[in-house]
Amino acid sequence: MKEQVISFELNREKVEICADPALSLLRLLRSRFNLIGTKEGCGRGDCGVCTVLLDGRAVNSCLIPAGKVEGRKVLTIEGLTREGLKKGAKVHPVQQAFIDKGAIQCGFCTPGMIMSAYALLRDKPFPSPEEVREAISGNLCRCSGYKQIEEAILEAAKAITEQEGKW
Ligand code: FES
Ligand code: FES
């Protein structure tokens, strides 16, 4: 397809790029913005490793055509990390909780898991374990570390609400 200019907000900064509007958002992020924290797995919406936030909602970026992000807000794992650094932490509290709870094994699913967790905590600061499980149900972990992942998300919820105002 013919390239077109696509303008959107990426990790809280306005960006403009000339790209094929049919290219997936995942490919756009990785190949044109070098944001390789968002991983590529199945490429058809089954695994969740490509999860980013689009206007605050967790989406599979492999299924979103680049042209559809015109005028919208995209947040990737790099943007979340930057938010943590800006506030004087080493990383974002959700990332820190994954580290503290040992919720990372090979780490391939981790960026997508963290973005789904962050989307959940924005909407529901006090999620139940069931709500956590539901929120990450589209994120597959081949290392089967779901127990630690669930604990990490509940821990992150606590950390964020305890430091309310800071986050
Ligand atoms: S790569 Fe997008 S859901 Fe698997
Ligand atoms: S930590 Fe390896 S796939 Fe989840």
Side-chain angles (χ1 to χ4, degrees):
M1 206 181 274
K2 209 166 138 241
E3 294 205 334
Q4 69 181 48
V5 176
I6 304 166
S7 312
F8 62 107
E9 191 184 296
L10 176 57
N11 293 336
R12 311 199 193 284
E13 282 170 18
K14 297 244 177 276
V15 295
E16 207 170 73
I17 192 149
C18 195
D20 177 351
L23 185 74
S24 72
L25 173 59
L26 171 63
R27 291 274 167 89
L28 186 81
L29 293 170
R30 289 181 58 87
S31 65
R32 304 295 302 278
F33 289 96
N34 199 28
L35 293 172
I36 54 173
T38 305
K39 303 300 179 209
E40 178 160 17
C42 66
R44 53 170 197 235
D46 292 335
C47 72
V49 300
C50 63
T51 304
V52 299
L53 264 62
L54 180 60
D55 292 338
R57 283 191 48 238
V59 295
N60 290 322
S61 60
C62 67
L63 296 181
I64 310 283
K68 293 275 181 208
V69 303
E70 173 67 39
R72 302 175 75 183
K73 292 181 182 171
V74 176
L75 184 75
T76 71
I77 190 76
E78 289 87 351
L80 200 67
T81 307
R82 215 173 294 155
E83 206 171 289
L85 298 175
K86 267 193 200 153
K87 302 222 177 174
K90 286 195 181 130
V91 285
H92 190 275
V94 182
Q95 294 171 303
Q96 190 60 53
F98 270 64
I99 296 167
D100 294 345
K101 288 287 173 186
I104 301 165
Q105 292 182 59
C106 80
F108 193 69
C109 69
T110 307
M113 284 283 184
I114 287 176
M115 296 313 286
S116 291
Y118 176 67
L120 167 72
L121 298 179
R122 276 169 53 104
D123 286 349
K124 283 186 198 259
F126 304 101
S128 66
E130 293 70 33
E131 286 169 329
V132 169
R133 284 196 284 275
E134 170 64 28
I136 57 165
S137 59
N139 295 81
L140 304 184
C141 178
R142 276 166 274 180
C143 303
S144 309
Y146 291 103
K147 180 89 184 81
Q148 292 99 313
I149 291 168
E150 186 186 315
E151 284 173 8
I153 298 169
L154 292 170
E155 181 68 26
K158 244 200 279 165
I160 291 171
T161 49
E162 272 166 15
Q163 300 172 35
E164 219 171 345
K166 189 172 175 209
W167 297 97

